[in-house]
Amino acid sequence: MDIYGALQTYFGYDRFKEGQEKIVLGALNGSDVLGIMPTGGGKSLCYQLPAILLDGVTLVVSPLISLMKDQVDSLNEIGIPATFINSTLDDFELNQRIEETKQGNYKILYIAPERLNTYVFSNLMKDIKVSMIAIDEAHCISQWGHDFRPSYTEIPKFIRSFSSRPIVAAYTATATKLIVEEIKDLLQLKNPIESIIGFDRPNLFYQVIKVSDKLTYVSDYINKNFPDKSGIIYCATRKTVESLTEKLNQLGFKAVAYHGGMDSETRQKNQDDFILNNIQIIVATNAFGMGIDKPDVRFVIHYNMPQNMEAYYQEAGRAGRDGEPSQCTLLYSPSDIVKQKFLIQSSTFSEERENILYENLQYLVDYCNTNDCLRSMILKYFGEMSQESKCDNCGNCLDDSEMVDITLESQKILSCVYRVQERFGITMVIQVLRGSKNKRLLEFGLDKVSTYGIMKEYSENALREIIMALTSMGYLIVTADKFPVLKLAASAREVLSGKEKVHHKKHLLEIKSATRRKEVSLEGVLDSFNEDLFIKLKELRYSLSQEKGMAPFMIFHDATLKEMASYFPQDKESMLAVKGIGEKKYETYGEKFLEVIKEYCINKNIQPIEIVKEKVIDRGRATVDRYQSTYDLYLEELSLDEIAERRSLTISTIIEHLSKCEKRGQSVDWSSFKVDTDIEAKILSAINEVGAERLKPIKELLPEDISYEDIRIVIAKNNLN
Ligand code: ADP
């Protein structure tokens, strides 16, 4: 069987997602591989498919033993023989599985990292042929990441123990460039075939909300947008988890708690209840979630601010793995920053590491305070070039609240920072501006500076808001220290001299008792399908899942049921054309679902619709297809302007689309887009100085008339991205 046959037969898909094919082919050709793909990108298939076709057993090293059973059950459901070995097994079960593995009963064996170098397991390795070692959540090997697991350091030794080294495959969803290098280095990947695809999750809507009454907000938000949909609420401490769970239950929600201080039995039960849809909401600390592949989480709320952007991206990313529209909401309150700083201070890290942690935290604080596109900010963090255009799917891009000129306020604040000689933190600067009689302030003689008391009429919150906004706009810098102080950035001069104006959202400058942000409802965003039939199919799925004691999504995902309820397949052939139905799944469940669909069609006199695959792929905001549409116009030899007009996109976006196409192997002749050689030389020399990661610093070094588009073309043309 070839890879396309296996893709269809086992997984029920007719094409690969971006980045998968390269990895699968790489592994089948015997190379090491590295897949950096966002959550929901389809990493599991990257090792599961080659595992079927390679001769021998594939070992999958995974950090979370509580999820292995689900993964193995899902594989068995689609006809791939798999099992797991971890500490939940008793000796009898362990020996039985070892024997069965020796007899060649399994193609995939999940294993916890701490077991790798044990006597029993090393012995088993001598008796079987290992085709590939796949390392899931590979970033756990990095001591710099936020998910470091000491047991992952066992992996290199284990790999070295083979006389004939198997293929090594590493996967993760969150890795900055630094961590990618560390993964390659520590795992000693040999010239790996890499698929590093973007970090964008187009189906996720991001928003930052500033409210004083978080509980009321959360309760209204869920009732309004997701009354019967699954969601995760992350809190910073176990105590908050406990109290919020209790309050939500009092308000009539079905919520359970999850944190490291609970006994493992209750924790596992709560996790299972959430995955099985027995309860709606799981309230958790960051101990929850890694590897949870529940596809239909529709909202993730951060009740408190997490440690840094990486943690936020990963936790929020647990929403919408199935590609359906989902929302990520961060509830921001300045006191959370204090909490996070305290956690860093009380750690035992080296000073260098602490400073990195402060810097990372500051990036997230800036994210909370920016007026710019939130998606761009996330992507920038991971070193991706930001789209200049708005994403139109984040709280900021959809926010139509009134902007006001705060140049005068900004000037007062900046000059105060200057007057106190850039030696104090936010709180002291605010106290000086408001003319406080604080003892420390008086001791330092700060009541004598000329800006003392010049903003008495502003509330502390309003001043903090403006200072945060000035920081995220880059006019102020908060130093990355234990006692962070405010400093002026070079660009502050432009504001002080009146050359640059500063604007900010009006409502954020007022007393912040309620959010006035535009709320985005998901209604109308989901595709059209027959809701009535969809509910019937869900009922059937639920009763089958109860019979088998497994999660409904392991039978079919919502997306698969929706496709059935859109096209009304009537026979095996049309059923197999539905996304997510392969031979084995059809064999087990196909007829039962066909029966319900056929009966429904007869009763309602509905004609089936033929499935044209293109149509299916077009759904949602399939990024692959957006790029292809741009590429098709490029092939028609249209100019960048013309393509931009035809696609109603900015030129920058078009360039970005073409770069993506090039990355996935389509050829683009950049020299057909003219940039003056003189200008190109200037851009290249600027890049030499500040690197090509971010556009703004490059632009700042160049004469005004050199545009962002020129810079993007030069970067793409010279392969610098
Ligand atoms: P990750 O581990 O990268 O977060 P998963 O492996 O859980 O992602 O896959 C995410 C979702 O995408 C799953 O619902 C999976 O069934 C689906 N998927 C994977 N590969 C394909 C494909 N080629 N076509 C359509 N859906 C796919």
Side-chain angles (χ1 to χ4, degrees), residues 34-35 37 39 43 47 60-64 67 71 113 134-142 146-149 152 155 169-175 179 183 187 289-293 314 318 321:
L34 174 64
M37 297 165 154
T39 306
K43 285 183 284 300
Y47 55 80
V60 182
V61 182
S62 162
L64 278 191
L67 299 162
Q71 281 159 332
I135 297 137
D136 207 5
E137 313 286 0
H139 64 283
C140 290
I141 200 167
S142 162
H146 63 286
D147 272 333
F148 173 58
R149 305 237 163 181
Y152 262 57
I155 300 174
Y171 300 94
T172 176
T174 22
I179 295 180
I183 291 173
L187 292 176
M290 197 204 292
I292 298 274
D293 54 3
Q314 183 141 40
R318 291 178 184 134
R321 292 175 81 108

Side-chain angles (χ1 to χ4, degrees), residues 314-537:
Q314 183 141 40
E315 286 161 13
R318 291 178 184 134
R321 292 175 81 108
D322 54 8
E324 298 280 338
S326 310
Q327 298 198 355
C328 310
T329 303
L330 201 166
L331 300 182
Y332 171 81
S333 58
S335 59
D336 287 343
I337 309 173
V338 181
K339 268 185 225 154
Q340 290 297 353
K341 284 197 172 147
F342 176 75
L343 288 178
I344 298 175
Q345 269 166 39
S346 45
S347 68
T348 50
F349 299 131
S350 66
E351 200 178 318
E352 185 197 3
R353 175 115 198 247
E354 267 189 16
N355 286 345
I356 291 181
L357 293 175
Y358 283 126
E359 248 174 56
N360 290 347
L361 174 63
Q362 186 58 41
Y363 195 92
L364 194 62
V365 175
D366 288 349
Y367 172 84
C368 293
N369 288 291
T370 183
N371 292 328
D372 298 339
C373 170
L374 294 174
R375 185 179 311 279
S376 301
M377 249 194 93
I378 294 176
L379 295 180
K380 242 187 250 171
Y381 179 82
F382 290 104
E384 271 186 39
M385 282 210 271
S386 61
Q387 299 246 0
E388 240 181 298
S389 52
K390 294 173 156 196
C391 77
D392 282 338
N393 193 25
C394 76
N396 284 0
C397 287
L398 296 185
D399 187 356
D400 55 6
S401 60
E402 193 186 335
M403 300 291 277
V404 286
D405 188 328
I406 54 160
T407 312
L408 190 63
E409 285 86 349
S410 306
Q411 286 170 334
K412 287 181 180 171
I413 291 169
L414 295 174
S415 69
C416 184
V417 171
Y418 178 73
R419 295 287 165 204
V420 301
Q421 298 175 349
E422 304 176 274
R423 286 174 47 212
F424 295 92
I426 296 181
T427 308
M428 186 63 94
V429 170
I430 292 176
Q431 285 174 348
V432 173
L433 286 162
R434 298 186 72 226
S436 153
K437 297 258 185 306
N438 174 295
K439 198 164 144 239
R440 258 187 84 227
L441 185 156
L442 299 176
E443 273 168 19
F444 282 113
L446 297 178
D447 54 336
K448 306 285 183 309
V449 299
S450 59
T451 49
Y452 181 73
I454 58 169
M455 295 185 89
K456 275 201 176 91
E457 67 281 24
Y458 289 81
S459 71
E460 189 186 327
N461 279 346
L463 288 180
R464 195 174 285 277
E465 177 65 41
I466 302 177
I467 292 175
M468 291 297 190
L470 289 172
T471 310
S472 84
M473 290 174 207
Y475 296 121
L476 277 176
I477 296 164
V478 182
T479 58
D481 298 318
K482 205 175 254 179
F483 302 107
V485 303
L486 283 175
K487 292 200 180 284
L488 297 177
S491 55
R493 229 181 308 143
E494 308 297 313
V495 177
L496 285 166
S497 67
K499 276 197 202 138
E500 250 170 59
K501 295 255 173 261
V502 186
H503 292 88
H504 198 49
K505 284 170 195 154
K506 187 173 173 203
H507 70 87
L508 291 178
L509 303 173
E510 295 160 4
I511 296 156
K512 293 170 277 171
S513 56
T515 173
R516 295 233 250 117
R517 291 231 178 168
K518 190 169 160 188
E519 295 287 337
V520 179
S521 144
L522 285 184
E523 266 170 56
V525 182
L526 296 174
D527 290 314
S528 65
F529 55 88
N530 187 313
E531 184 82 38
D532 200 22
L533 175 59
F534 177 58
I535 291 170
K536 287 191 169 27
L537 296 172

Side-chain angles (χ1 to χ4, degrees), residues 51-213:
I52 311 165
L53 301 176
L54 287 167
D55 183 26
V57 180
T58 288
L59 303 179
V60 182
V61 182
S62 162
L64 278 191
I65 56 175
S66 62
L67 299 162
M68 286 185 185
K69 188 174 173 313
D70 285 354
Q71 281 159 332
V72 163
D73 285 349
S74 292
L75 284 170
N76 290 333
E77 274 298 303
I78 59 172
I80 301 176
T83 192
F84 65 86
I85 289 183
N86 64 31
S87 55
T88 63
L89 304 179
D90 59 31
D91 282 353
F92 176 76
E93 287 170 313
L94 176 68
N95 289 331
Q96 193 179 20
R97 289 188 189 195
I98 285 184
E99 274 315 306
E100 287 167 354
T101 309
K102 278 186 196 163
Q103 283 159 22
N105 290 6
Y106 301 115
K107 290 301 290 179
I108 299 184
L109 177 61
Y110 281 81
I111 176 89
E114 46 277 353
R115 293 247 147 188
L116 289 172
N117 293 314
T118 58
Y119 180 71
V120 177
F121 198 70
S122 305
N123 264 346
L124 170 64
M125 292 302 102
K126 289 185 194 132
D127 289 334
I128 61 171
K129 176 173 165 47
V130 175
S131 54
M132 177 164 70
I133 303 172
I135 297 137
D136 207 5
E137 313 286 0
H139 64 283
C140 290
I141 200 167
S142 162
Q143 303 215 28
W144 294 95
H146 63 286
D147 272 333
F148 173 58
R149 305 237 163 181
S151 58
Y152 262 57
T153 52
E154 294 282 320
I155 300 174
K157 180 175 163 204
F158 175 70
I159 296 173
R160 282 196 301 273
S161 72
F162 285 84
S163 51
S164 158
R165 183 177 175 279
I167 298 161
V168 180
Y171 300 94
T172 176
T174 22
T176 53
K177 286 192 173 141
L178 199 75
I179 295 180
V180 171
E181 287 313 312
E182 210 181 351
I183 291 173
K184 285 201 238 177
D185 187 40
L186 292 176
L187 292 176
Q188 294 177 344
L189 297 184
K190 288 191 183 151
N191 302 320
I193 302 286
E194 298 177 19
S195 257
I196 302 188
I197 61 171
F199 287 85
D200 190 15
R201 304 274 313 275
N203 63 314
L204 297 189
F205 168 82
Y206 298 101
Q207 62 178 347
V208 176
I209 298 287
K210 300 175 178 181
V211 281
S212 51
D213 184 354

Side-chain angles (χ1 to χ4, degrees), residues 13 15-17 20 38-45 321 557:
Y13 301 132
R15 64 180 72 190
F16 285 103
K17 283 190 166 187
Q20 285 180 330
T39 306
K43 285 183 284 300
S44 354
L45 188 141
R321 292 175 81 108
H557 284 183

Side-chain angles (χ1 to χ4, degrees), residues 245-253:
T245 311
E246 197 183 320
K247 285 178 199 150
L248 287 172
N249 279 305
Q250 280 164 5
L251 288 169
F253 293 101

